[in-house]
Amino acid sequence: MKIDILTLFPEMFSGVLGSSILKKAAEKKAVSYNVVNFREFSDDKHKTVDDYPYGGGAGMVLKPQPIFDAVDYLKNERNANPRVILLCPQGEKYTQKKAEEFAKEDHLIFICGHYEGYDERIREHLVSDEISIGDYVLTGGELGAMVMIDSVVRLLPGVLGNDESPIYDSFSSGLLEHPHYTRPADFRGMKVPEVLLSGNHQKIKEWRENESLYRTKSRRPDLMEKYLLEKNNNIDPLN
């Protein structure tokens, strides 16, 4: 997968992309990152990327020209038709299902905005997806892009040590994940459930499924309601 990131603050990505799973994924050639300062594409002699909004109002608005030209350049350079993702509060709320969808793509372009917002023509004529990572406002789109990139890259084949790991993550099945335990079996009198020490794989599987259902019902009843609705309508909640 190829990931291009358009931002006015490329230095924000160096630590994230150069650490942990994201770094290992690049070393394994599962993904390549390209961080682009779209200010370099401004045709203004002062390299400005924003201007006052028509009609008045507070704040500045990102101009279309630098962002359109940057995306055009990346498309031509890679000879590809990528998903172009705009990070914005008005976008579709990000979910694990969306991460799984993006993980199937060969090329993603993330546009990280700042200031008051984007010229509407960027939304209408350039991007394929508008995404929000939650119902709150950040200074810019960089942190949201980092969250999305991490969630997508870890799903790529060969990135995690065990390719089955993402299958059992919270939200992948529609439910929250079951509890985990490791050694020692008795820590300060707090003991690991006996079933996990039994070696009976069927009973362990059943215990994990029950714990997953209980945890989802008690912590996220909204997810439980959706899970049961899909199950009752003969929709496989695991897909």
Side-chain angles (χ1 to χ4, degrees):
M1 173 182 282
K2 295 178 176 63
I3 295 179
D4 293 308
I5 305 157
L6 301 185
T7 173
L8 296 174
F9 300 94
E11 65 276 8
M12 290 181 66
F13 289 87
S14 57
V16 173
L17 301 181
S19 304
S20 188
I21 294 297
L22 296 183
K23 178 183 179 181
K24 292 178 180 177
E27 292 173 344
K28 292 179 178 180
K29 309 297 184 185
V31 63
S32 64
Y33 310 111
N34 179 36
V35 184
V36 177
N37 188 337
F38 62 84
R39 188 181 298 279
E40 299 303 317
F41 288 85
S42 174
D43 61 7
D44 182 280
K45 66 178 181 180
H46 300 295
K47 294 296 182 182
T48 56
V49 295
D50 60 326
D51 209 334
Y52 295 102
Y54 281 123
M60 304 290 280
V61 175
L62 285 171
K63 301 196 300 182
Q65 179 273 316
I67 294 177
F68 267 82
D69 283 3
V71 171
D72 287 345
Y73 171 81
L74 292 170
K75 286 182 176 180
N76 292 333
E77 185 182 56
R78 300 199 185 280
N79 192 26
N81 186 29
R83 294 281 284 270
V84 181
I85 302 163
L86 190 73
L87 279 297
C88 65
Q90 300 96 328
E92 174 186 351
K93 187 177 289 187
Y94 193 54
T95 64
Q96 183 67 20
K97 296 298 183 186
K98 203 68 180 178
E100 292 166 1
E101 179 183 327
F102 286 143
K104 297 174 183 177
E105 299 289 334
D106 294 325
H107 184 196
L108 301 175
I109 296 178
F110 291 87
I111 303 176
C112 307
H114 268 263
Y115 313 119
E116 186 62 25
Y118 305 91
D119 184 290
E120 191 67 16
R121 289 163 290 190
I122 296 171
R123 302 178 189 275
E124 293 179 344
H125 302 288
L126 184 63
V127 306
S128 58
D129 302 88
E130 294 183 49
I131 299 292
S132 168
I133 63 168
D135 293 339
Y136 47 87
V137 178
L138 299 171
T139 304
E142 284 78 11
L143 295 176
M146 293 175 195
V147 168
M148 292 182 63
I149 291 167
D150 183 275
S151 67
V152 169
V153 169
R154 65 187 302 278
L155 297 176
L156 300 179
V159 169
L160 298 181
N162 186 338
D163 283 342
E164 290 190 355
S165 294
I167 298 174
Y168 301 104
D169 285 341
S170 292
F171 309 112
S172 290
S173 66
L175 301 171
L176 298 182
E177 195 173 10
H178 57 77
H180 293 277
Y181 296 88
T182 188
R183 291 178 288 185
D186 187 334
F187 175 68
R188 298 183 180 180
M190 297 175 282
K191 298 182 179 180
V192 172
E194 287 294 331
V195 64
L196 298 180
L197 309 176
S198 68
N200 187 321
H201 296 295
Q202 181 58 35
K203 288 190 176 297
I204 291 172
K205 181 175 182 292
E206 291 171 358
W207 180 88
R208 287 175 170 169
E209 289 175 349
N210 289 333
E211 288 294 318
S212 181
L213 288 165
Y214 174 77
R215 178 164 286 189
T216 305
K217 182 179 180 180
S218 60
R219 299 187 182 187
R220 290 291 304 274
D222 57 316
L223 290 179
M224 192 67 186
E225 183 178 351
K226 181 180 178 182
Y227 176 86
L228 293 175
L229 180 63
E230 291 175 343
K231 190 173 183 179
N232 290 337
N233 288 335
N234 295 318
I235 300 172
D236 186 352
L238 300 181
N239 292 314

